[in-house]
């Protein structure tokens, strides 16, 4: 299913995630988390969001190419923690 999603997305040139209402909400949430010190990475929230999307796509694609050989959620979570500079 993931492989088909990528085929459809690439074929139809789906809009980037940051060009959506949900993307705007996520950017606002990132900004609030930065202000509260929950996210230590102080890069612009829009850039963090874009990077989260790229990481998510990369992990998902790698998971798909490896026939689901690892826990995609756990791997994504670990990559996000590194980017966001989270303590736990």
């Amino acid at each position: 299913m993931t492989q088909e999603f990528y085929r459809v997305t690439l074929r139809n040139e789906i809009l980037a995630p940051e060009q959506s209402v949900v993307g705007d909400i996520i950017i606002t949430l990132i900004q609030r988390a930065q202000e509260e010190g929950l996210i230590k990475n102080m890069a612009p929230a829009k850039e963090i969001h874009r990077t989260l999307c790229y990481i998510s796509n990369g992990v998902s694609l790698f998971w798909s190419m490896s026939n689901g050989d690892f826990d995609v959620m756990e791997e994504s979570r670990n990559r996000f923690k590194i980017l966001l500079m989270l303590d736990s």
Side-chain angles (χ1 to χ4, degrees):
M1 189 165 86
T2 303
Q3 291 170 340
E4 184 58 26
F5 167 77
Y6 279 105
R7 268 192 231 100
V8 169
T9 300
L10 293 171
R11 184 174 44 243
N12 295 325
E13 299 179 24
I14 304 295
L15 287 176
E18 63 269 12
Q19 297 174 326
S20 69
V21 173
V22 174
D24 292 340
I25 292 169
I26 293 170
I27 290 168
T28 299
L29 293 173
I30 291 169
Q31 290 169 333
R32 288 183 186 166
Q34 287 174 317
E35 291 166 3
E36 294 178 21
L38 299 171
I39 293 176
K40 292 178 179 51
N41 185 337
M42 296 308 290
K46 186 173 183 176
E47 292 304 313
I48 290 176
H49 176 253
R50 177 177 287 185
T51 305
L52 288 169
C53 292
Y54 291 168
I55 289 171
S56 180
N57 280 321
V59 170
S60 297
L61 183 59
F62 187 70
W63 176 81
S64 176
M65 292 184 323
S66 67
N67 295 316
D69 217 16
F70 60 90
D71 184 339
V72 70
M73 295 302 289
E74 185 64 25
E75 186 64 24
S76 294
R77 202 173 291 117
N78 289 335
R79 301 301 117 213
F80 292 170
K81 285 180 184 179
I82 292 168
L83 171 68
L84 301 173
M85 300 167 55
L86 301 176
D87 292 331
S88 55

